[in-house]
Amino acid sequence: MRVKVLSRNPDDYVRETKLDLQRVPRNYDPLLHPFEVPREYTRALNATKLERVFAKPFLASLDGHRDGVNCMAKHPKSLSTVLSGACDGEVKIWNLTKRQCIRTIQAHEGFVRGMCARFCGTSFFTVGDDKTVKQWKMESPEYGEEEEPIHTILGKTVYTGIDHHWKEAVFATCGHQVDIWDEQRTSPMCSLTWGFDSISSVKFNPIETYLLGSCASDRNIVLYDMRKSTPLKKVI
């Protein structure tokens, strides 16, 4: 009968003091570790993935505006197209894939207060401190063609926000009141108001498209219905 006994010298793995590092016995014989390279590759790959997961969320900066950016809008059909409006009245269209500006428009005199794209993506609307609502083509003008808006509406007050209907040729602006416009008319179809505070933003409901809501400076949210001439509900 043959018996194999494992024997270890305590001096090889027992620490002399508590401050010493724990000794770990290792065998560096490459014949005993046939999967060393794949194992190290997997560890390196996991470490790289974790660095990406816990990395800072900043990807890139779109530089080009000479003044602060006041509002932004996205293209309804193209995920790589974003619009931005600055405090000096300048509007830029950006390509996120290339991370560069593809078009620059001097849209207003003063701040660009709000902007939105048409539901089909062929044009977009801007409002500014010059009391105008302008509709612009989404595509760049052809060679020799001047950069001019498709339509310009001169209002009585400063508009602070704008949003377009999701299915119809209708858009809404806000300021001292909420105005609903037809794209072919220069006067609003109807005006909705509740209180006397300035309204900062207005948005259409993407599901119930005849509903829209607004936010005012007195911390209230008002719900409107295009089919009625009066607001529906107000929440402080």
Side-chain angles (χ1 to χ4, degrees):
M1 181 172 137
R2 181 180 298 178
V3 178
K4 292 184 179 180
V5 179
L6 293 177
S7 61
R8 290 182 180 181
N9 187 3
D11 296 336
D12 296 336
Y13 59 89
V14 176
R15 295 179 295 175
E16 295 182 358
T17 63
K18 294 183 179 180
L19 300 179
D20 293 341
L21 297 177
Q22 190 74 35
R23 295 182 182 181
V24 179
R26 291 184 180 179
N27 193 334
Y28 295 97
D29 187 0
L31 298 177
L32 298 178
H33 302 279
F35 299 106
E36 183 179 5
V37 175
R39 192 180 295 114
E40 291 298 327
Y41 175 78
T42 303
R43 290 177 180 174
L45 189 62
N46 292 336
T48 305
K49 289 180 179 179
L50 288 177
E51 287 183 358
R52 291 290 183 90
V53 169
F54 296 108
K56 294 182 179 180
F58 178 77
L59 295 177
S61 63
L62 304 176
D63 301 326
H65 278 292
R66 295 170 295 179
D67 207 336
V69 178
N70 191 48
C71 57
M72 296 185 69
K74 63 179 182 179
H75 196 285
K77 302 293 184 180
S78 174
L79 295 176
S80 62
T81 304
V82 171
L83 301 90
S84 62
C87 299
D88 57 355
E90 190 178 59
V91 173
K92 286 184 177 291
I93 302 178
W94 304 89
N95 188 321
L96 296 182
T97 305
K98 299 180 180 179
R99 297 176 183 176
Q100 65 181 10
C101 176
I102 58 178
R103 188 178 170 198
T104 301
I105 306 170
Q106 187 60 40
H108 296 276
E109 296 179 2
F111 281 39
V112 180
R113 292 294 179 181
M115 60 194 313
C116 67
R118 201 172 187 269
F119 64 92
C120 59
T122 57
S123 62
F124 64 94
F125 296 81
T126 60
V127 293
D129 281 351
D130 51 2
K131 302 179 182 180
T132 59
V133 180
K134 296 183 180 181
Q135 182 182 6
W136 305 84
K137 290 183 179 180
M138 189 68 71
E139 296 180 357
S140 301
E142 298 180 359
Y143 181 76
E145 185 180 355
E146 295 183 358
E147 188 75 83
E148 293 183 354
I150 303 174
H151 299 294
T152 301
I153 301 174
L154 181 60
K156 298 180 180 179
T157 59
V158 176
Y159 299 109
T160 57
I162 185 172
D163 192 37
H164 200 280
H165 196 276
W166 288 80
K167 295 180 180 179
E168 301 177 5
V170 176
F171 64 92
T173 59
C174 62
H176 292 289
Q177 60 187 6
V178 174
D179 296 325
I180 300 176
W181 305 74
D182 192 312
E183 292 183 3
Q184 306 300 325
R185 298 176 58 180
T186 58
S187 59
M189 295 190 299
C190 65
S191 298
L192 305 170
T193 181
W194 192 336
F196 300 97
D197 288 277
S198 60
I199 302 172
S200 58
S201 63
V202 60
K203 290 291 181 183
F204 277 96
N205 191 318
I207 306 300
E208 303 289 344
T209 54
Y210 51 85
L211 296 177
L212 64 156
S214 67
C215 299
S217 59
D218 61 345
R219 299 180 293 109
N220 71 59
I221 300 173
V222 183
L223 188 65
Y224 306 92
D225 192 337
M226 288 177 52
R227 301 170 297 181
K228 298 181 180 180
S229 59
T230 56
L232 293 178
K233 190 176 182 180
K234 182 177 182 179
V235 178
I236 301 295

